Amino acid sequence: MFKPRTEPVAEGTVPYNWSAASIYQCTWYAYYRALECGFSAPCWWDRETQTGSYTNARDWLENFRDPWEVKSIDYVPVAGDIIVYSYGNPDLGHVIFCETDVMTSEYRSGDPDSFRNAKVGDFGGTLLGYLHYPYEPVLPVERDETRDQIQTTDESLRIRVKPSLDAEIVGHVQLGYYNVFDKKDNDGYTWYQIAKGRWCANITTNFLPGTDDDFMKEIERVWNATKVKIKGLEDQNKEMKEDFNSIGKIAEKWYADS
């Protein structure tokens, strides 16, 4: 799972859009926090036309993006969920991000100093519902020179369920390294499988071939040498048995002649 955020967002952090007019607003933060955690974008400006990005906080439940799911107020939120509620004036809405099952994070009203962590449920308004992302994000791994890996350099690179531009988008990569389990060419790109049912194209990525072949050859070399030693021990054991049989026969003849 993603690392919970307990510190304000440093200016310039990707994938946050620092040229947007709404920086430090709750919508700006929740939208890009979802992307930062490896999820796909949570809402449209207008779901019907599938245009724009985030809209007024109170309207997020009506303008969610697939595969995000709308959950009712009876739902128990988990890490990665977005809480949607209104407060005071019915036209005022607010969205906050669940960092864990019990802790949230948020910005308020465009104030750069308004970042805070709070307990789930501590929002002081009228709960409207939740947005829930149904897939586990695919997170980077440690660099491993023995395995085929890619290095990602752009957090806007999409993760899809199949190696195709028509396949469903289920998130975005984070900066770092991902193991490559399979490769396929399609739609003019090479696609890398970075987890079961998770693919990304060779855009803004560096392919780093592993040394598995040399590693396996070394294992094979040692194993073959071990087999030779085992065969030698088996031959020695056979010769020893033959020697003992010979000694036994000599002893039997000696007893018979005594």
Side-chain angles (χ1 to χ4, degrees), residues 139-157:
L139 301 179
V141 297
E142 296 293 328
R143 176 73 177 108
D144 184 350
E145 295 182 355
T146 69
R147 306 192 61 159
D148 286 352
Q149 292 185 318
I150 56 170
Q151 180 184 20
T152 55
T153 61
D154 184 353
E155 290 178 306
S156 67
L157 178 61

Side-chain angles (χ1 to χ4, degrees), residues 86-144:
S86 65
Y87 61 96
N89 186 322
D91 289 336
L92 297 177
H94 193 62
V95 286
I96 53 181
F97 192 86
C98 290
E99 298 292 342
T100 70
D101 295 353
V102 297
M103 183 185 75
T104 65
S105 66
E106 64 178 319
Y107 271 95
R108 290 175 173 266
S109 305
D111 182 355
D113 297 321
S114 64
F115 176 86
R116 74 163 188 162
N117 291 119
K119 292 181 179 179
V120 171
D122 180 17
F123 47 78
T126 301
L127 178 63
L128 300 178
Y130 304 89
L131 289 177
H132 171 72
Y133 193 78
Y135 300 111
E136 279 289 326
V138 185
L139 301 179
V141 297
E142 296 293 328
R143 176 73 177 108
D144 184 350

Side-chain angles (χ1 to χ4, degrees), residues 9-13 18 24:
V9 183
E11 187 170 352
T13 300
W18 294 94
Y24 301 120

Side-chain angles (χ1 to χ4, degrees), residues 135-136 138 159-162 170 181 193-199:
Y135 300 111
E136 279 289 326
V138 185
I159 300 175
R160 299 178 184 268
V161 296
K162 295 180 180 179
V170 292
F181 299 96
Q193 184 183 20
I194 57 175
K196 183 178 180 181
R198 300 291 182 267
W199 298 77

Side-chain angles (χ1 to χ4, degrees), residues 19-33:
S19 65
S22 55
I23 62 172
Y24 301 120
Q25 297 279 359
C26 66
T27 48
W28 171 86
Y29 174 69
Y31 183 91
Y32 289 107
R33 177 64 180 141

